[in-house]
Amino acid sequence: MTGIIFDFNSTLFDDSDKHEKAWHIFSTRVFHRNITEEEFKQIVHGRNNDFILQYLSGESLSKEQINSYVEEKERIYRELCEEDKVGTCLTLDVKLLLEELKDRKIPMTIATASPKVNLDYYIEKFQLETWFDIDKIIFNDGTIPGKPDPEFYLRAAKAIGVAPLQCIVFEDAVSGIQSAYNAGIGKIIAVAPKDQEELFEGLPGVYDVIPNFDKFDRFLLRE
């Protein structure tokens, strides 16, 4: 393996609780409905906002409606991040890995379903330019089909100049793992808590399941 692609939300930044809370607040306020745990797993995590919003609304939404809803939901989410001064940080042990990859000159990037407004927030909050070429980060710019479509990971592999088969992808969501698998990624590593290991071990294409980046097998990489 010669390149690495990271999902971001709940992979590099453990923010599932904030996204879920923001979606709960937003959905209750706007659509007057709750989101079930199963819907979070299958419909929300790893998906584009427009897909989620069309699902929650139960009807076809205009581009203007989607943009307005996205702006409101993500504003709630960023407020929750700012309120959590301790928890709004990169995932445990990931900085050590990023420094190692940078020193070894391993091509790497991020492929996130987050919109640009959130990506800009992450870049500033976590100083992502320390490790990543910002211009090579793939995000939801409105032109990419949502995961599990392979396009996010195909574009990310192209951005770093590495064939998908030679890439490692780190993912935490079922739809994201399916996206990487559909893109022909060589090694897919699920980042999952202990109580979810069984779920991810059974998914097609998953090479390994790790609880944190300290458990990543560096021998998979070659310069």
Side-chain angles (χ1 to χ4, degrees), residues 146-194:
K147 300 173 183 180
D149 188 277
E151 189 64 18
F152 266 103
Y153 285 115
L154 291 174
R155 290 196 190 188
K158 184 177 181 180
I160 59 174
V162 179
L165 192 61
Q166 296 301 316
C167 287
I168 293 171
V169 160
F170 290 99
E171 258 286 359
D172 75 291
V174 171
S175 61
I177 287 170
Q178 291 171 337
S179 173
Y181 179 73
N182 292 338
I185 294 297
K187 293 283 190 300
I188 302 170
I189 298 179
V191 183
K194 292 286 186 182

Side-chain angles (χ1 to χ4, degrees), residues 17 63 65 83 137 190 192 195 205-206:
D17 58 334
K63 190 66 176 176
Q65 285 175 306
E83 289 171 8
I137 294 177
D195 61 345
V206 172

Side-chain angles (χ1 to χ4, degrees), residues 47-77:
R47 302 277 192 169
N48 284 2
N49 280 334
D50 52 354
F51 174 89
I52 302 168
L53 289 165
Q54 300 278 11
Y55 172 85
L56 292 177
S57 70
E59 60 185 23
S60 180
L61 298 173
S62 69
K63 190 66 176 176
E64 290 73 22
Q65 285 175 306
I66 289 173
N67 289 340
S68 177
Y69 285 152
V70 167
E71 184 178 339
E72 173 65 9
K73 182 268 168 179
E74 299 305 346
R75 181 189 61 77
I76 296 169
Y77 162 76

Side-chain angles (χ1 to χ4, degrees), residues 14-59:
D14 187 8
D15 62 346
S16 288
D17 58 334
K18 299 173 184 64
H19 269 298
E20 289 189 6
K21 187 173 181 179
W23 276 116
H24 272 305
I25 294 170
F26 173 83
S27 185
T28 301
R29 181 184 299 168
V30 176
F31 299 125
H32 310 291
R33 59 157 291 179
N34 291 319
I35 304 173
T36 67
E37 184 176 341
E38 190 60 29
E39 284 175 322
F40 272 116
K41 289 179 182 178
Q42 300 297 331
I43 304 298
V44 176
H45 291 309
R47 302 277 192 169
N48 284 2
N49 280 334
D50 52 354
F51 174 89
I52 302 168
L53 289 165
Q54 300 278 11
Y55 172 85
L56 292 177
S57 70
E59 60 185 23

